[in-house]
Structures are given as structure tokens and as C-alpha cells.
Amino acid sequence: MQRATRLLEAAAAHEGGAPAKQLARESGLALPTAYHLLRTLTHEGYLRREKGLFVLGEAAERLSASGARQNRRGMISEALAHWRDAIGVPVYFAVYREGEIEIVAVADTPGNPAVEEWADFRETGHAHAIGQCLLGQLDDEQRKDHLDRHPVQSITRYSVRDNRSFLRRLDAMGRMKPVVERQEYALGTVCAAIPITAGNTAATMAISVPAYQADRLLPAADRLQNEIGKLLGTLAFSISI
């Protein structure tokens, strides 16, 4: 495994590929051993041979992409943790991708726990600030498509009751304005979501607090929104996760 890894690292250092003899030399391997491992790596798709040169194959590229995704998730998690600690509230990052609401990352603590997903976030976007914020960034056709698949349903006594009422609310919100939701998804919890411009993808950062601390919600949201520009590079980068 170590010898095969050295060969892959050597091949990765040559964007246009390298011959077996060069890879063997750079890996510190005997040429017969290098040939054997190169054949195996090529058969498994980690390398491919083009005009006598070995370059990274699709399997290696998938590993690289997976590692990059993990790094980006780590970056966004660190960013959310920073604001969780600075503001003292749970912080969420979500995107609207391929027709669905996707919670990318959440940062909370035992003392300030995130909202429990007691009803599927994807199916109840009309009831929580994250979903309202994301759907508010979509065009009319995209909203209709979403509601055809996930129609409005009563979640709590505070939540909107039907598609028509919900669409009127979205039209009145303002496309890039913060969204506040009070006990519409979870009784005892109030939330605020801030829309984020990240390419062509609808995205949001959100916070939540217990209803008895509702007076903290807007000041915390204002602070996050004022500082969010510092995170935009990281957030936009994470869209490709």
C-alpha cells in the first residue's frame, strides 16, 4: 500500500503524465516492482496510460474530490462554530439544491441545542425560517414545483395553512431580506434566517433561540448579518459540497 501510494503521489506531481521509469525513480522503487504496481493501479482505475505516460485515473480523481469535499465541510463547520461561540446561539447553513432543502452544517452546544428535526426539514420548508428564506429566493416556477412536491401542511398552530397563503407571504417578504419565524415549525422556538448570494444557488445562514429568549433573536441576527461578509468566500466555496 505504501509503495502504491508513493507511485500515485509521483504521478499526481506530473499533470501531463510521466513514464514508468521516472515514476519508479521518484518513488524509490525497483523498476519491476513499479511496473507491477502500475499495472494494478491502472487496472483498478487509479491510473491510466496515455502514449506511454501514466496519469491519474477516475478512481484517484474521485478520492481527490471526496477529500476536497471533506475539507470544505471542515471549513464551513469551523466558520459556523466561530459564530456559535461569538453570538451564543445555534447556527445553521443550508442550501437549495436539486429541488430540495439541504442542511449542510449545524453548530450548537449542549447548553444551546439546535432545533430537533421532528418533521422532515425538506418537506416542511414552509414552516421554518430556513425553508422560507430559501424558497423566497426562488422564482415562481421553482416555488410551484417545490410546493407541488411538498405541499403546505399544518405543523403548529402558528404555521401557514395553505399554499396560496404561503406564496403571498413569500411575495411580501422581499427577495433578500432576513426571515423571522416564530414557533411555526417547533413550539417554544423562534428562528431567523439570512439569505446569502452564492453564485446561482439559494443559500442561507440561520439561528434559533428558545421562545422565552425571543428578545435575543433580532439582535443576534443583525450581528450575524453585519459580519457575514467575512464568511462569504467560505460559504460560497461550500456550495459545491
Side-chain angles (χ1 to χ4, degrees):
M1 177 67 73
Q2 291 177 341
R3 291 179 295 183
T5 300
R6 294 208 304 268
L7 279 173
L8 285 174
E9 291 174 345
H14 301 280
E15 185 175 347
K21 289 183 179 180
Q22 183 176 358
L23 295 177
R25 183 172 63 253
E26 294 177 357
S27 303
L29 300 176
L31 189 56
T33 300
Y35 273 128
H36 171 71
L37 290 172
L38 288 170
R39 283 195 298 269
T40 301
L41 291 168
T42 300
H43 176 74
E44 297 296 332
Y46 291 98
L47 293 174
R48 67 178 187 271
R49 191 172 186 179
E50 297 181 352
K51 299 179 180 179
L53 303 179
F54 290 91
V55 297
L56 292 181
E58 291 184 2
E61 291 169 356
R62 286 195 298 270
L63 284 177
S64 176
S66 176
R69 285 193 297 271
Q70 290 179 356
N71 288 337
R72 289 194 290 272
R73 285 191 181 277
M75 290 169 63
I76 187 61
S77 294
E78 289 178 7
L80 296 190
H82 167 76
W83 292 114
R84 174 202 65 200
D85 296 339
I87 303 176
V89 296
V91 184
Y92 312 74
F93 179 57
V95 299
Y96 192 81
R97 182 159 30 213
E98 298 181 355
E100 299 293 350
I101 294 166
E102 179 182 337
I103 308 298
V104 176
V106 180
D108 64 351
T109 65
N112 290 296
V115 177
E116 181 181 354
E117 187 179 357
W118 71 274
D120 193 324
F121 279 141
R122 294 170 300 177
E123 298 178 2
T124 57
H126 61 281
H128 49 73
I130 286 173
Q132 293 174 22
C133 188
L134 292 174
L135 294 173
Q137 298 176 56
L138 305 182
D139 60 32
D140 291 342
E141 184 177 346
Q142 290 172 313
R143 291 176 185 175
K144 182 179 184 304
D145 172 72
H146 184 90
L147 293 178
D148 284 345
R149 291 179 290 109
H150 304 302
V152 170
Q153 55 183 308
S154 181
I155 303 299
T156 76
R157 63 180 181 271
Y158 299 101
S159 55
V160 69
R161 300 300 178 185
D162 55 66
N163 286 10
R164 182 176 298 180
S165 299
F166 180 59
L167 289 172
R168 283 201 300 267
R169 174 189 288 189
L170 292 183
D171 288 337
M173 280 190 337
R175 192 172 183 84
M176 298 305 290
K177 299 291 186 181
V179 175
V180 175
E181 167 264 303
R182 301 180 186 276
Q183 304 190 79
E184 295 180 45
Y185 175 79
L187 293 176
T189 302
V190 295
C191 305
I194 299 166
I196 294 173
T197 301
N200 295 321
T201 301
T204 183
M205 282 188 70
I207 59 174
S208 63
V209 298
Y212 68 85
Q213 297 180 357
D215 58 328
R216 296 179 57 206
L217 184 67
L218 292 181
D222 287 343
R223 181 175 177 186
L224 182 60
Q225 187 171 29
N226 289 336
E227 299 289 341
I228 209 167
K230 298 176 183 178
L231 299 179
L232 278 179
T234 297
L235 298 176
F237 194 43
S238 71
I239 292 295
S240 61
I241 292 174

